[in-house]
Amino acid sequence: MNGFWLLIPFLLIRFGLLALLDREAVRRAAHFAPVSGREIPAYWVYQISNAAIFLLLCFCAVKIKPLWLFCAGGAVYLLGLLACGASAVGFAAPSGGGPQTGGIYRFSRNPMYVAYFAVFMGCAMLTQSPVLCGAVLVFQISAHWIILAEERWCLEQFGEDYRQYMGRVRRYV
C-alpha cells in the first residue's frame, strides 16, 4: 500500500470532522499566531517540512516486516488519529470567550500538535523510511517555535485565564 493513503484518514479528521462540527473552527485552526525573531524561519521550516511529509508519503510504501515495527507503527498512527479526533472535537467547541480548557485540552495545551506528531511518526514507522522520520522530527522541532508564538498570542488574548491554564496543564503531555 502506498503511504499516501495513510494521510486520507488524517485529512478527513483534520478538515472533514472539524468542518462538520463547526465551519468556523476550520478557519480558526488555519490561523497562525504572529511570529517574530527565530519563530519566523521556524514557521517556514514547519511549512516546508509539512509539505515534505506529504510528498514523501507519495513515494513510500507501508511495510509489514518486521511485524513488531508494523504493529508499533500502526498503534502510534491509530493513537494519533484518535488524539486528532479528540482535539478536533474540543477545538470545535471553544469555551465561552476564554481559552479551550475542556476535553483533551485538560491534558495538553497543544493536543493537535501532539496528534500530528503521532500520526506522522506512525507513518514513518509503517513505511520504515528514515528520510520521512527525519522530516517528521524537523516538523516537530519547528512546531515547538510555532507553539511558543501561539502561547504568547493566547496570553495576549486571554490574559490571566491562560496563565493559570499554563500552570495547570503541560504544553505537550
Side-chain angles (χ1 to χ4, degrees), residues 89-147:
V89 168
F91 192 80
S95 306
Q100 177 52 282
T101 59
I104 198 170
Y105 288 85
R106 289 178 298 167
F107 309 105
S108 171
R109 295 194 311 260
N110 299 284
M112 281 190 188
Y113 288 105
V114 172
Y116 298 166
F117 177 68
V119 167
F120 295 155
M121 188 52 75
C123 290
M125 293 168 72
L126 287 166
T127 61
Q128 299 177 35
S129 170
V131 175
L132 180 58
C133 184
V136 171
L137 293 175
V138 168
F139 169 82
Q140 192 59 33
I141 291 167
S142 63
H144 175 74
W145 295 98
I146 305 304
I147 289 167

Side-chain angles (χ1 to χ4, degrees), residues 40-131:
I40 296 168
Y43 169 83
W44 289 107
V45 170
Y46 174 86
Q47 296 296 353
I48 292 166
S49 61
N50 192 26
I53 290 167
F54 278 59
L55 185 64
L56 286 166
L57 278 167
C58 293
F59 298 100
C60 294
V62 172
K63 296 178 181 159
I64 296 175
K65 292 183 180 180
L67 186 59
W68 71 267
L69 186 54
F70 174 78
C71 291
V76 170
Y77 174 76
L78 290 174
L79 284 171
L81 289 178
L82 287 172
C84 193
S87 62
V89 168
F91 192 80
S95 306
Q100 177 52 282
T101 59
I104 198 170
Y105 288 85
R106 289 178 298 167
F107 309 105
S108 171
R109 295 194 311 260
N110 299 284
M112 281 190 188
Y113 288 105
V114 172
Y116 298 166
F117 177 68
V119 167
F120 295 155
M121 188 52 75
C123 290
M125 293 168 72
L126 287 166
T127 61
Q128 299 177 35
S129 170
V131 175

